């Protein structure tokens, strides 16, 4: 399994040797395919950028997504308390099953007050935010003094109106934007090595689990994108290019 810089819809790819990871003997190819980009992204957000510490409380938006389900598990592994937001009962339950202490349906009202209630008024130490503009005011309210806010997506828009800078100063909040795909080859190689050393062994013991929502053949890639656009999946959608040669734990009719 490898960390790609794009171009993954192919039978063969060329990758940097230091971006490749051995698939554990205990894992099939489908579950291995669900690991690299989302789990490395989550690891980067929590550790490389977010500097998570045991005992902290973390708010993870889109807690039922691929990155979200990985981040929940990694945060629990680090000894943090996890609060998530999601938009369906199924995704709420998935996050709780994976270890989230509190799960909030953002479609049923604001999450900021619920976060404050869950933290006895303190707020969270760290937010992993893939939403952006539409959540910024609630994020500020939900953050603790000197909290960290890691922005890695703009699903809710890029344009902010209001006194964001004043609110950041008031709470001494650190707001940092980050991406993975545009990072240097050397950065990615170091990230992969840290992941192999610190995280990959936990998949073998079963402490961590890649979350696969759906497995589809390459011919149904359009259907896979529709599922994502409609926000129907909880975890990863895996595309299998050659179902006849891939060994996995899924029935043939699912492919």
């Amino acid at each position: 399994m490898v960390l790609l810089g794009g171009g993954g819809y192919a039978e063969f790819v060329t990758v940097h040797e230091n971006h490749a990871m051995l698939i554990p003997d205990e894992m099939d190819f489908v579950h291995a395919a669900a690991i690299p980009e989302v789990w490395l992204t989550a690891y980067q957000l929590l550790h490389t950028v977010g500097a998570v510490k045991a005992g902290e409380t973390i708010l993870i938006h889109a807690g039922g997504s691929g990155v979200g389900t990985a981040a929940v598990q990694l945060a629990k592994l680090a000894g943090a308390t996890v609060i998530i937001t999601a938009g369906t009962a199924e995704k709420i339950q998935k996050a709780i099953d994976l270890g989230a202490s509190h799960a909030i349906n953002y479609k049923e009202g604001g999450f900021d007050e619920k976060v404050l209630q869950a933290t006895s008024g303190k707020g969270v130490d760290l937010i992993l935010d893939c939403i952006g503009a539409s959540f910024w005011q609630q994020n500020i309210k939900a953050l603790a003094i000197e909290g960290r806010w890691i922005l890695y997506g703009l699903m809710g828009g890029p344009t902010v109106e209001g006194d964001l800078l004043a609110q950041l100063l008031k709470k001494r909040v650190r707001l940092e934007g980050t991406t993975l795909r545009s990072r240097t080859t050397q950065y990615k190689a170091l990230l992969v090595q840290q992941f192999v050393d610190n995280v990959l062994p936990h998949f073998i013991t079963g402490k961590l689990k890649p979350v696969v929502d759906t497995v589809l053949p390459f011919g149904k890639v359009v259907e896979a994108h529709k599922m994502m656009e409609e926000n129907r999946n909880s975890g990863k959608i895996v595309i299998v290019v050659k179902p006849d040669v891939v060994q996995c734990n899924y029935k043939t009719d699912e492919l």
Side-chain angles (χ1 to χ4, degrees):
M1 52 188 175
V2 299
L3 178 63
L4 285 175
Y9 283 1
E11 294 184 57
F12 301 97
V13 294
T14 301
V15 299
H16 193 283
E17 61 180 343
N18 291 334
H19 296 176
M21 298 170 279
L22 288 174
I23 299 175
D25 292 337
E26 298 83 357
M27 185 178 294
D28 61 43
F29 277 68
V30 166
H31 286 85
I35 290 178
E37 188 151 358
V38 291
W39 281 84
L40 285 162
T41 296
Y43 184 83
Q44 178 199 222
L45 294 172
L46 283 167
H47 293 280
T48 311
V49 183
V52 64
K53 304 178 187 68
E56 290 189 319
T57 302
I58 302 173
L59 174 60
I60 300 172
H61 290 311
S65 66
V67 173
T69 54
V72 169
Q73 295 180 70
L74 287 174
K76 290 296 293 182
L77 185 67
T81 298
V82 178
I83 303 172
I84 69 102
T85 63
T88 68
E90 179 185 3
K91 293 184 178 185
I92 292 288
Q93 188 59 53
K94 174 64 72 174
I96 291 173
D97 292 343
L98 292 173
S101 298
H102 302 276
I104 302 166
N105 190 328
Y106 66 87
K107 294 181 180 179
E108 297 177 351
F111 62 82
D112 49 349
E113 292 299 329
K114 294 177 182 178
V115 168
L116 292 174
Q117 290 174 9
T119 57
S120 300
K122 176 190 174 184
V124 296
D125 302 291
L126 175 64
I127 295 179
L128 303 188
D129 179 19
C130 58
I131 306 301
S134 62
F135 275 6
W136 82 263
Q137 290 173 311
Q138 292 188 79
N139 280 339
I140 284 289
K141 292 178 182 178
L143 271 167
I145 299 296
E146 297 186 343
R148 290 106 64 206
W149 175 2
I150 309 302
L151 181 68
Y152 70 100
L154 298 169
M155 295 172 62
T159 304
V160 170
E161 296 182 4
D163 60 344
L164 171 61
L165 297 181
Q167 296 299 323
L168 292 176
L169 284 173
K170 183 179 179 180
K171 282 193 168 182
R172 301 189 297 277
V173 168
R174 191 188 95 197
L175 170 59
E176 183 170 353
T178 184
T179 59
L180 179 55
R181 181 169 293 191
S182 61
R183 297 283 189 173
T184 65
T185 297
Q186 294 77 13
Y187 179 99
K188 293 177 182 178
L190 179 59
L191 181 66
V192 167
Q193 188 58 57
Q194 291 173 340
F195 184 84
V196 168
D197 293 341
N198 300 323
V199 178
L200 200 56
H202 295 293
F203 288 104
I204 299 172
T205 64
K207 187 173 290 187
L208 298 176
K209 298 178 181 179
V211 179
V212 177
D213 180 274
T214 306
V215 183
L216 294 171
F218 192 72
K220 293 186 177 181
V221 68
V222 173
E223 180 180 331
H225 277 266
K226 287 181 179 178
M227 287 183 66
M228 287 190 291
E229 290 167 8
E230 295 170 2
N231 201 24
R232 286 189 277 136
N233 59 299
S234 181
K236 293 296 291 179
I237 301 170
V238 176
I239 300 297
V240 177
V241 177
K242 293 183 177 181
D244 55 324
V245 298
V246 172
Q247 294 181 350
C248 64
N249 293 330
Y250 289 85
K251 297 177 183 178
T252 304
D253 59 5
E254 291 183 273
L255 299 172

